[in-house]
């Protein structure tokens, strides 16, 4: 097992828990939350609220570093989940405590541990799993979209 990403994935679990607590206590008409690049958003029945990592860290009561780690791990899972599940077609994935639970259209589930996520990050680390790498890639994508 790779311990290189263990604290990063641990921070991801902390932030996901903070998000779940926050939306349960503070967000009316909550529908879902997600992250794209370095932006975190909450959708309600009537509006979408978008936050950068500093704003998100403040409302969730986590550190800036934990929030940055959240974005990096979320990006890895979003882009490379097939590295864990193979050819299966996921309907949804979510952290439940210290486990990643992937649900499929037939209602079956696969459960992965922190070590599995760390291994996925190690296998795909050529992408560059730092927050600075994530922001850089996001800027490149924005430039491509604007040209």
């Amino acid at each position: 097992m790779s311990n290189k990403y263990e604290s990063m994935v641990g921070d991801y679990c902390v932030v996901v828990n903070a998000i779940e607590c926050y939306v349960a206590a503070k967000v009316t008409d909550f529908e879902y939350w997600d992250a794209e690049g370095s932006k975190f958003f909450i959708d309600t029945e009537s509006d979408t609220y978008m936050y950068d990592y500093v704003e998100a860290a403040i409302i969730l009561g986590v550190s800036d570093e934990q929030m940055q780690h959240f974005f990096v791990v979320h990006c890895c899972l979003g882009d490379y989940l097939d590295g864990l599940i193979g050819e299966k077609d996921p309907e949804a994935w979510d952290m439940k405590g210290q486990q990643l639970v992937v649900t499929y259209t037939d209602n079956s589930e696969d459960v992965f541990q922190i070590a599995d996520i760390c291994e996925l990050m190690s296998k795909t680390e050529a992408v560059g799993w730092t927050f600075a790498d994530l922001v850089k890639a996001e800027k490149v994508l924005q430039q491509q979209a604007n040209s």
Side-chain angles (χ1 to χ4, degrees), residues 104-118:
Y104 303 99
T105 52
D106 64 0
N107 289 327
S108 65
E109 291 182 342
D110 279 331
V111 178
F112 300 94
Q113 306 303 318
I114 287 176
D116 300 316
I117 300 168
C118 292

Side-chain angles (χ1 to χ4, degrees), residues 53-65:
Y53 80 93
V54 174
E55 295 165 326
I58 291 168
I59 67 163
L60 298 174
V62 298
S63 72
D64 287 357
E65 181 180 56

Side-chain angles (χ1 to χ4, degrees), residues 48-115:
T48 299
Y49 302 93
M50 188 157 301
Y51 307 95
D52 66 20
Y53 80 93
V54 174
E55 295 165 326
I58 291 168
I59 67 163
L60 298 174
V62 298
S63 72
D64 287 357
E65 181 180 56
Q66 287 173 313
M67 203 67 219
Q68 290 175 4
H69 288 168
F70 163 82
F71 284 117
V72 172
V73 175
H74 198 76
C75 180
C76 177
L77 291 172
D79 290 351
Y80 295 98
L81 187 62
D82 59 341
L84 290 175
I85 65 173
E87 298 295 317
K88 296 179 183 177
D89 190 23
E91 184 171 288
W93 55 272
D94 193 16
M95 291 302 293
K96 294 193 167 116
Q98 301 282 305
Q99 298 178 315
L100 173 68
V101 179
V102 181
T103 308
Y104 303 99
T105 52
D106 64 0
N107 289 327
S108 65
E109 291 182 342
D110 279 331
V111 178
F112 300 94
Q113 306 303 318
I114 287 176

Side-chain angles (χ1 to χ4, degrees), residues 19 23 30 32-36 39-43 48-51 56 70-71:
I19 293 167
V23 298
F30 170 73
Y32 68 94
W33 65 263
D34 204 349
E36 189 171 301
K39 300 287 185 214
F40 168 71
F41 61 91
I42 298 172
D43 268 7
T48 299
Y49 302 93
M50 188 157 301
Y51 307 95
F70 163 82
F71 284 117

